[in-house]
Amino acid sequence: CEFFAADITDDYVAHRRHVGAIHARIELPTDIYLAGMSQSFQFLIAELRAGAKKGAKLDDMITAIGKMVYFDSYLVLDTIHSVAKERIAEHSKAMMEMSTPVTAIWEGILLLPLVGIIDSQRTQDIMNKTLEKIAESRARAFVLDISGVAAVDTGVANHLIRITQATKLMGCECIISGISPAIARTLVELGVNVGEVVTRATLRDAFELALAKLGENIGQGSN
């Protein structure tokens, strides 16, 4: 038996991690696993004490087996934890992709309705998807609707400003819609410098402005 050989090689560790991956896949509760390991340890101690004389050697054997049991448990539980983190990360990524739908709503116009909380990671994802969509569709106007955003503070405002700056570098005008009186008041109270950011109160107003800007661009291009 590998366990009693106590030969801790890469293959041994890989095998124990494989066991942990199986437990994670079948979603075995960790308390059940630990209870099983504890019972096995107690059984081994009882067998040793029943078949051997008391002495330092017996105590050393019990200590050595205990260390192996704890080491095995660590490898298995660490693997279960790692698999769980990977699943959470994949789920979060999938949710983020679903919650960041950059859509072409008109020839040359993109729309992104934001819902929920905006943080630095999500902002980076929004920026990447938006810039890729602009390059793909050659859009000239991008409407970013924040009426569904849970809260706007200095950090969120700065994130939004960076997105508008990046879209401008791609030759696309960004219009932020969904600016409620509460959000406008918050931005003023925080002293956020919105600079040349174009904003509108409603999505309809933003769409009308996007159409007007698109018309201006087309008119200038034909001269």
Side-chain angles (χ1 to χ4, degrees):
C1 178
E2 291 182 348
F3 179 84
F4 290 104
D7 187 12
I8 310 300
T9 63
D10 290 342
D11 288 341
Y12 180 87
V13 173
H15 178 263
R16 299 312 300 162
R17 291 198 175 278
H18 176 67
V19 171
I22 293 175
H23 288 337
R25 187 166 62 248
I26 65 176
E27 298 183 352
L28 178 72
T30 54
D31 56 346
I32 292 179
Y33 169 76
L34 289 174
M37 292 297 289
S38 177
Q39 287 293 324
S40 298
F41 183 40
Q42 295 301 322
F43 173 77
L44 290 174
I45 292 176
E47 289 295 307
L48 285 172
R49 285 176 174 168
K53 296 181 179 180
K54 293 182 179 180
K57 183 172 291 187
L58 176 60
D59 292 338
D60 289 343
M61 290 175 64
I62 292 174
T63 299
I65 292 175
K67 289 180 179 179
M68 287 294 294
V69 169
Y70 295 143
F71 181 63
D72 270 35
S73 298
Y74 163 75
L75 291 176
V76 171
L77 293 176
D78 182 63
T79 303
I80 292 174
H81 178 66
S82 297
V83 172
K85 284 181 63 177
E86 290 174 2
R87 286 178 176 172
I88 293 173
E90 290 173 0
H91 179 70
S92 298
K93 183 179 179 181
M95 291 297 293
M96 187 175 293
E97 290 176 352
M98 291 175 61
S99 63
T100 314
V102 182
T103 308
I105 58 172
W106 198 269
E107 184 68 29
I109 301 177
L110 298 176
L111 169 65
L112 173 57
L114 290 182
V115 178
I117 299 174
I118 302 177
D119 54 21
S120 58
Q121 181 179 356
R122 190 178 180 195
T123 302
Q124 189 62 45
D125 184 67
I126 291 169
M127 186 178 296
N128 292 339
K129 284 185 170 59
T130 299
L131 297 182
E132 289 173 3
K133 195 70 175 181
I134 290 172
E136 176 188 327
S137 64
R138 296 185 179 181
R140 295 300 178 185
F142 170 56
V143 178
L144 183 62
D145 185 69
I146 64 170
S147 57
V149 174
V152 173
D153 55 18
T154 305
V156 171
N158 288 330
H159 288 324
L160 297 177
I161 291 171
R162 282 195 287 271
I163 292 174
T164 62
Q165 292 171 340
T167 57
K168 280 187 177 181
L169 291 175
M170 296 286 292
C172 183
E173 184 72 28
C174 180
I175 306 166
I176 298 180
S177 67
I179 304 293
S180 66
I183 291 178
R185 184 169 57 253
T186 299
L187 295 179
V188 171
E189 291 173 352
L190 291 172
V192 176
N193 181 17
V194 295
E196 300 178 355
V197 177
V198 180
T199 63
R200 287 295 183 272
T202 67
L203 180 57
R204 177 176 178 176
D205 292 341
F207 183 52
E208 289 179 351
L209 179 59
L211 286 173
K213 288 183 174 293
L214 197 63
E216 290 176 3
N217 290 334
I218 293 173
Q220 291 172 1
S222 61
N223 289 335

